[in-house]
Amino acid sequence: MSDTLPKPPTILVIDDDTEIRYSLTRVLSSRKYQVIEAASGEQGIAMVKKGPAPDLVFLDVRMGGMGGIEALQHIRSANPKQLVVLMTAFGTAQTAIEAMKYGAFDYVMKPFDPAKVLTLAENALKAHADMRAVGDYKPTINADDYREGIVGSSPVMQDVFKVIGQVTASDVTVMITGESGTGKELVARSIWKHSHRTSKPFIAVNCAAIPDNLIESELFGHEKGSFTGATVQRLGKFELCDDGTTFLDEIGDMALATQTKILRVLQQGEIQRVGGTETIKVDVRIIAATNKDLEEMVKAKTFREDLYYRLNVVRIRMPPLRERGDDVPQIVDFCLQSLVKQKKARVTKVSPEAMVVLTRHKWPGNVRELENVIYRSAVIAQGDAILVKDLPAEIRGATGVETGAVAPGSGASEPPCEMVRPVTAKSAPPVPVKQAAELAVGASGASLASGTNLTLEGAFDFLHAELARAGEPMLPVVERELARRALAAAEGDAALAAKSVGLTKAALQKRVKE
Ligand SMILES: Nc1ncnc2c1ncn2[C@@H]1O[C@H](COP(=O)(O)OP(=O)(O)OP(=O)(O)O)[C@@H](O)[C@H]1O
Ligand SMILES: [Mg+2]
């Protein structure tokens, strides 16, 4: 048996202020951390490069010679996994944003609260250990093998796959039921893709999203002059979808009068345009879905019994995610690999602790909620793995897993980005700022910088959406803010700032004052 004690973690303190170095060293040494010091950014970089790499670096932002943000970039490019906590007496938004953008683990305000510094060091070192622990992560699946997009090897999902296979050969009407976000539309598309109608259109109609007075025109079309505003003849979805597949989503929300007309399509293959007298033959396969209890609706006479039986020839019940917990790791890997492919995130791994949290969660919003959580966490994660600290608080809080690691934010236990607005999905949780921008832009372009997940495209989309919501003319705001930033970046040199934004000096000064 070896009697050597485990080596204490090494912390490098980089600050040109002797007193700060002294007091920080005292605080950190009280926890048996081994502290080494550097009196400038240049010296600190040399120490990291020479190695052995410290477990953690505390780095001052304002120093004579090279500043902390620049030193941070050198350190992270020499060792991309190096954990760095920035220290600043000026908690400006710019410093905070730049610190996180260039990959700092966190930043801490001077003067220090010793307890906070120690908690921060502990959290950073825990995250460091967690990241090392996921080093040999093996994904459970290869997303390329799941072109269908439906992932899951649980027995209930295997049964779903079998039924999909069985119904593709015929034109039988299929009713898909299940909670929101369980994959009903995904299954409907899969049936269509494998059917003989695959070369013909698949048209999805969300019956809950279209007002009752418009749905008939939407589905069956209308004749010119049939109602106010019907200035031209318009073909409906059934006619457009002739020989194809119509997906009637949220059929439980359809008005009784429309239900009668759907029955006619199913029984006779006939429609009539709104305001028309001609009977038109259509050949469509119908797949319907709902998260409502249609049996109860039939009893309550809010859903036609005859239509219910016509639709319910084959029933596919999508199981909620909580009944197929074993599928969670596969869906997580699928989501991560898809995000990487779409260049929306770089994260490929999940720590074992985080996976336990994800597997134990009840997922009231089902796969859609899981997808959303993985996206949010992947955007926030600082290394190549999602750790427990990266998961949204409501997911972490709902399980009994003890983590010890918390998200950055000066020792606070909340995630660094707070939520700004809900996503459109009914049950999905709100979205962090960075993700809101990414959601708006879709597949991202080039990154702003290696340490950030927000793209320039995404930033513009986010900005446009936010300014549009404010309802003010956008350009003056944008010009003023850009002018102010340019002036700050040029350290007050108006001529230089004006050049950088492509304005004359006078125009820049005018914008700044607006
Ligand atoms: N088994 C699965 N594997 C991978 N992704 C899935 C799976 N099931 C659902 N998803 C994804 O989850 C999201 C929600 O799926 P979908 O829209 O099909 O659900 P839904 O049951 O129609 O929900 P709603 O009732 O709210 O309309 C989609 O992004 C889909 O790609
Ligand atoms: Mg749906």
Side-chain angles (χ1 to χ4, degrees), residues 90-157:
F90 311 92
T92 62
Q94 180 153 350
T95 311
I97 291 168
E98 289 209 317
M100 302 317 279
K101 184 167 113 179
Y102 292 117
F105 177 78
D106 204 345
Y107 63 94
V108 61
M109 297 288 294
K110 293 184 198 173
F112 303 118
D113 169 351
K116 264 196 181 159
V117 167
L118 287 171
T119 313
L120 191 55
E122 207 178 299
N123 291 335
L125 291 166
K126 166 81 171 92
H128 191 42
D130 284 351
M131 280 190 206
R132 269 195 307 227
V134 287
D136 54 356
Y137 181 82
K138 298 257 178 315
T140 50
I141 59 157
N142 181 350
D144 292 337
D145 299 336
Y146 291 78
R147 261 173 293 156
E148 216 65 33
I150 316 179
V151 179
S153 53
S154 56
V156 271
M157 283 307 287

Side-chain angles (χ1 to χ4, degrees), residues 341-376:
K341 219 180 287 171
Q342 295 166 49
K343 297 194 167 55
K344 290 184 178 178
R346 276 177 271 264
V347 176
T348 53
K349 303 172 182 176
V350 180
S351 79
E353 279 176 338
M355 195 59 98
V356 169
V357 174
L358 292 168
T359 314
R360 285 195 196 160
H361 186 65
K362 294 291 174 240
W363 301 113
N366 293 296
V367 185
R368 181 181 291 115
E369 184 190 1
L370 173 58
E371 223 174 34
N372 188 272
V373 162
I374 294 303
Y375 191 3
R376 295 164 69 180

Side-chain angles (χ1 to χ4, degrees), residues 154-202:
S154 56
V156 271
M157 283 307 287
Q158 294 300 315
D159 287 344
V160 169
F161 299 151
K162 279 185 216 160
V163 181
I164 295 176
Q166 285 164 337
V167 298
T168 48
S170 70
D171 272 341
V172 67
T173 303
V174 181
M175 166 74 97
I176 309 169
T177 53
E179 292 177 15
S180 186
T182 46
K184 297 187 291 296
E185 179 155 354
L186 210 53
V187 166
R189 285 181 186 276
S190 173
I191 294 172
W192 162 68
K193 267 189 228 157
H194 288 277
S195 74
H196 68 93
R197 291 173 183 260
T198 184
S199 59
K200 301 290 177 186
F202 174 94

